[in-house]
Amino acid sequence: IEEEIPGASVSITAATGDHGADLIVDIDGLRIAIQAKYYQAAVGNSAVQEAFSGKGYYGADAAMVVCNSSYTRHAHLLATKLGVLLATT
């Protein structure tokens, strides 16, 4: 991310006890809590809940889930309701 977006600062959270965020990205005064998932199947609600929790814990302005697959319909619905961004790689 730091190479792709000038001025971005990326912090990796603890492998356990990360409070819902795997990465914290700071860019231009904006803090984003990111939950990353590497799944074969569609990613569900729990990832959205984790990202939302990480947003609160780390004082982030936004929450995002990034995955390599897809999201369930319920994950899309919850993300819309909570304002969590969903992205795929």
Side-chain angles (χ1 to χ4, degrees), residues 3 8 26 31 41-42 54 72 81-82:
E3 292 128 10
D26 291 293
R31 175 168 275 202
T72 65
K81 188 78 165 175
L82 296 179

Side-chain angles (χ1 to χ4, degrees):
I1 294 173
E2 291 171 327
E3 292 128 10
E4 305 263 335
I5 304 171
S9 171
V10 180
S11 301
I12 299 171
T13 62
T16 57
D18 62 17
H19 302 283
D22 296 314
L23 301 170
I24 303 298
V25 177
D26 291 293
I27 180 166
D28 295 331
L30 179 71
R31 175 168 275 202
I32 306 167
I34 299 176
Q35 177 59 233
K37 295 295 183 187
Y38 186 76
Y39 282 3
Q40 297 270 336
V43 174
N45 276 358
S46 62
V48 175
Q49 294 166 346
E50 291 168 1
F52 187 72
S53 175
K55 175 185 172 191
Y57 184 82
Y58 292 102
D61 303 296
M64 175 184 281
V65 181
V66 178
C67 78
N68 64 311
S69 58
S70 61
Y71 297 95
T72 65
R73 183 175 72 81
H74 291 291
H76 279 284
L77 292 172
L78 184 60
T80 299
K81 188 78 165 175
L82 296 179
V84 174
L85 304 168
L86 302 179
T88 56
T89 58

